[in-house]
Amino acid sequence: MLSVEKLANDVSLPDYDRTRLRPRILHIGFGAFHRAHQAVCADRLAREQQSDWGYIECGINLQGNSKLVSNLRQQDCLYTVTEMADSGKTSRAIGVICDTVDARTDGIEAVIEAMSQPEIAIVSITVTEKGYCHHPANGQLNLEHPVIQHDLANPDAPHSLPGVILAAVKRRRERGLPPFSVMSCDNMPENGHVTRNVVVQLAEKHDAALADYIRHHLTFPSTMVDRIVPAMTQEALDELGETLGCYDPVAVQCEPFFQWVIEDNFVNGRPAWEKAGAELVQDVLPFEEMKLRMLNGSHSFLAYLGYLAGYQHISDCMADEHFLHAARTLMLAEQAPTLRTQNVDLTAYADSLIARYQNRAIKHRTWQIASDGTQKLPQRWLDSIRWHLAHNSRFDLLALGVAGWIRYVGGVDEQGAPVEINDPLKETLAQRVSESADGEARIAALLSLQKVFGDDLPANAQFTACVLHFYQLLQQHGAKETVKRVITSY
Ligand code: NAI
Ligand code: CS2
């Protein structure tokens, strides 16, 4: 456990009076990313601007484990963040967490009650794309989702993110408390709109007046978030313990880079995030699209092709000149032209992304990024492919990415070993794979996943032929050689 007395001298400690903090933001999803991103920003504000904005950390995932939150409680809500550069590490202890509440240990009622405290002005979220229970292809609430079905039957004891938010809004309204702003920090385009959609659509099923209240009184600012924060492993925690001076089970490691662009649309106040490195803007969409397509799009390409090629980490992919060249070409030739972003030097942006991927101190597993592909592909690749089809331009690398994903979810790697697929549609994927012969039939079976590819892409002969072509190259030559051939003849 972390103990301040044992921490090494070079770990920077919160130098502010933690008792002054007010729990005004409730954050849902105490994952690695939140710990290294939004919480660090709030900690900087408390240190440098005497901000009193503190966090209540909240877990609602009944399938997850509550170990992190219980560990955090045992160490006085303190934990460390270590920035990893090739040139060295910098660690700081984060002190902005005032309290925690977890549905698994405290019950969902305690969660709703915490969200209904008068002081809560913002509910922020990092629950991964799948936590929103929406159709990734169109952003609408998935009413057939088992947790949504549960919440429709049990609105006062919900299990889903939209259900929990709705129950809290209802209670606050009944008590005459001011509404809060709901801020998604997950990697989705127009993440605020997606969140608003799922909450309002669920509300409509119960109570039209409540849905109307949400439309008029709550805001759902969108954000673009960026910092590479790999999942911690036991090995990384043990190693880090040596540097920190004591073992911190809640510790995270991240790259030095930090970016946060926030739509300035809050109903009940907000911290002065702009004083700690964030940008407050009117329209986040151009920033989100740029990041999702250039960064996340190339990440997913490297994840599937890199995994198949035997590269464990993104930095290993970067040591292969053909993978590096393919990632940069994907960004600049196939993603950049599709963007609405203005006044940004996209070549410089691409080069900065490659430099970040080359950071060998960050062990970002291709397998981790490959997870939840059905939730990620639409915004990372498929909208760009639609753009190219409409503009009659080239999308070879995007199609190679789709072919790589199909090989990956086929469940067997190039050495014949099983691939551990992590995806909310894992059963559906496995069924389609087992019921189709490898090759054209497999491609058709997977592309017909309407929730991911829509109706248009599987019906487009140019798209399916392109994916088939690259799939066959992967079958014949393997991922390493295919990427080399495709990029050398590009
Ligand atoms: P993580 O796995 O460490 O944490 C995910 C959190 O979401 C956990 O607290 C988990 O309990 C909760 N969760 C998962 N499924 C849920 C569900 N169905 N309902 C409610 N809660 C659920 O992942 P991490 O690294 O914190 O990333 C989370 C998200 O943050 C990503 O999916 C992405 O959208 C965003 N992000 C992550 C970055 C990174 O480098 N790790 C960078 C930029 C954005
Ligand atoms: C990654 C992202 O896991 C993934 O899918 O592409 O988490 C990526 O590391 C972040 O978006 C960087 O900000």
Side-chain angles (χ1 to χ4, degrees):
M1 286 293 143
L2 179 149
S3 104
V4 175
E5 295 72 38
K6 288 195 197 143
L7 279 175
N9 288 339
D10 57 357
V11 178
S12 157
L13 297 175
D15 55 0
Y16 46 91
D17 176 5
R18 294 181 69 207
T19 62
R20 273 191 58 248
L21 294 170
R22 310 299 319 153
R24 290 156 80 185
I25 311 181
L26 181 136
H27 183 82
I28 304 181
F30 187 60
F33 179 57
H34 168 71
R35 307 208 288 287
H37 191 270
Q38 302 95 58
V40 171
C41 192
D43 189 70
R44 276 190 63 186
L45 282 179
R47 289 174 192 230
E48 295 163 18
Q49 309 290 335
Q50 293 76 48
S51 157
D52 66 354
W53 285 81
Y55 275 97
I56 298 183
E57 296 300 339
C58 171
I60 60 163
N61 186 11
L62 297 170
Q63 269 77 55
N65 83 60
S66 44
K67 200 97 191 96
L68 263 183
V69 169
S70 70
N71 283 334
L72 182 71
R73 283 177 184 168
Q74 285 180 50
Q75 43 191 53
D76 188 27
C77 289
L78 279 170
Y79 69 95
T80 56
V81 175
T82 301
E83 289 181 10
M84 315 280 291
D86 276 330
S87 54
K89 309 178 189 179
T90 324
S91 303
R92 61 156 70 203
I94 303 295
V96 282
I97 300 174
C98 307
D99 207 351
T100 62
V101 59
D102 192 281
R104 286 151 296 202
T105 46
D106 309 319
I108 200 68
E109 175 52 32
V111 167
I112 298 167
E113 201 43 40
M115 294 172 79
S116 308
Q117 291 309 298
E119 274 186 304
I120 298 294
I122 298 172
V123 169
S124 63
I125 310 164
T126 51
V127 292
T128 77
E129 297 86 338
K130 61 187 174 294
Y132 293 78
C133 307
H134 66 305
H135 289 296
N138 63 17
Q140 302 301 307
L141 180 67
N142 177 4
L143 287 165
E144 276 114 53
H145 197 301
V147 272
I148 296 298
Q149 289 279 318
H150 170 275
D151 291 3
L152 286 168
N154 306 277
D156 296 326
H159 287 172
S160 73
L161 173 80
V164 168
I165 294 175
L166 189 60
V169 172
K170 180 167 175 258
R171 188 167 297 180
R172 292 181 78 91
R173 186 171 176 232
E174 284 164 3
R175 291 185 185 166
L177 293 171
F180 45 54
S181 308
V182 183
M183 178 177 64
S184 165
C185 295
D186 275 301
N187 276 330
M188 299 179 297
E190 304 194 89
N191 49 13
H193 295 200
V194 172
T195 315
R196 180 185 153 108
N197 262 353
V198 293
V199 175
V200 168
Q201 285 173 11
L202 186 63
E204 272 164 355
K205 293 279 164 199
H206 294 297
D207 178 348
L210 187 59
D212 226 39
Y213 171 82
I214 295 170
R215 276 194 206 94
H216 292 105
H217 296 279
L218 269 74
T219 54
F220 295 80
S222 285
T223 63
M224 179 269 242
V225 286
D226 192 6
R227 177 168 244 191
I228 294 173
V229 190
M232 289 302 282
T233 58
Q234 191 56 52
E235 192 191 348
L237 284 172
D238 290 339
E239 213 180 291
L240 188 59
E242 308 276 310
T243 319
L244 294 171
C246 68
Y247 181 72
D248 173 10
V250 191
V252 271
Q253 293 176 327
C254 60
E255 63 171 342
F257 182 89
F258 171 97
Q259 192 175 11
W260 194 6
V261 186
I262 307 170
E263 179 187 343
D264 198 0
N265 184 18
F266 291 81
V267 279
N268 197 0
R270 63 163 176 83
W273 286 305
E274 67 278 14
K275 294 189 176 154
E279 293 162 76
L280 276 293
V281 301
Q282 291 310 308
D283 183 11
V284 175
L285 186 68
F287 297 92
E288 279 180 320
E289 251 182 22
M290 175 183 82
K291 191 254 171 175
L292 282 166
R293 294 186 189 175
M294 290 184 65
L295 190 161
N296 298 109
S298 62
H299 245 181
S300 289
F301 176 90
L302 294 170
Y304 299 115
L305 276 315
Y307 184 94
L308 293 169
Y311 297 136
Q312 212 189 338
H313 302 112
I314 291 293
S315 57
D316 303 330
C317 298
M318 289 297 102
D320 177 325
E321 57 171 321
H322 304 296
F323 272 67
L324 186 155
H325 188 192
R328 190 171 179 278
T329 308
L330 173 82
M331 293 177 201
L332 289 171
E334 298 192 10
Q335 300 283 36
T338 71
L339 300 175
R340 283 170 274 189
T341 317
Q342 286 174 341
N343 306 323
V344 176
D345 178 345
L346 294 176
T347 306
Y349 183 63
D351 289 334
S352 71
L353 296 180
I354 295 290
R356 289 166 62 194
Y357 295 174
Q358 286 173 319
N359 180 348
R360 298 196 69 85
I362 289 288
K363 298 273 174 257
H364 203 185
R365 288 175 72 193
T366 47
W367 178 82
Q368 184 191 351
I369 302 167
S371 67
D372 294 349
T374 58
Q375 314 296 298
K376 295 174 175 173
L377 263 43
Q379 59 271 24
R380 295 183 180 204
W381 295 343
L382 305 183
D383 288 338
S384 302
I385 290 175
R386 289 188 177 94
W387 188 95
H388 287 291
L389 288 168
H391 289 79
N392 202 19
S393 46
R394 192 170 177 183
F395 59 91
D396 298 20
L397 293 166
L398 290 163
L400 173 59
V402 176
W405 173 76
I406 296 174
R407 287 283 284 168
Y408 181 89
V409 299
V412 181
D413 73 11
E414 292 179 355
Q415 279 66 49
V419 179
E420 193 191 335
I421 310 292
N422 189 12
D423 194 293
L425 298 184
K426 176 166 113 171
E427 278 83 26
T428 312
L429 292 172
Q431 191 185 356
R432 291 189 181 214
V433 166
S434 71
E435 289 171 358
S436 57
D438 195 10
E440 206 165 346
R442 170 82 44 86
I443 294 172
L446 290 168
L447 293 186
S448 65
L449 271 172
Q450 197 252 352
K451 283 176 191 160
V452 181
F453 294 95
D455 294 317
D456 57 337
L457 289 178
N460 187 300
Q462 189 191 344
F463 171 66
T464 53
C466 206
V467 173
L468 175 63
H469 168 70
F470 289 118
Y471 192 84
Q472 287 169 337
L473 283 185
L474 289 171
Q475 281 179 313
Q476 284 159 23
H477 307 290
K480 214 181 267 188
E481 179 63 20
T482 300
V483 170
K484 180 178 171 191
R485 285 179 184 223
V486 172
I487 199 60
T488 336
S489 63
Y490 198 87

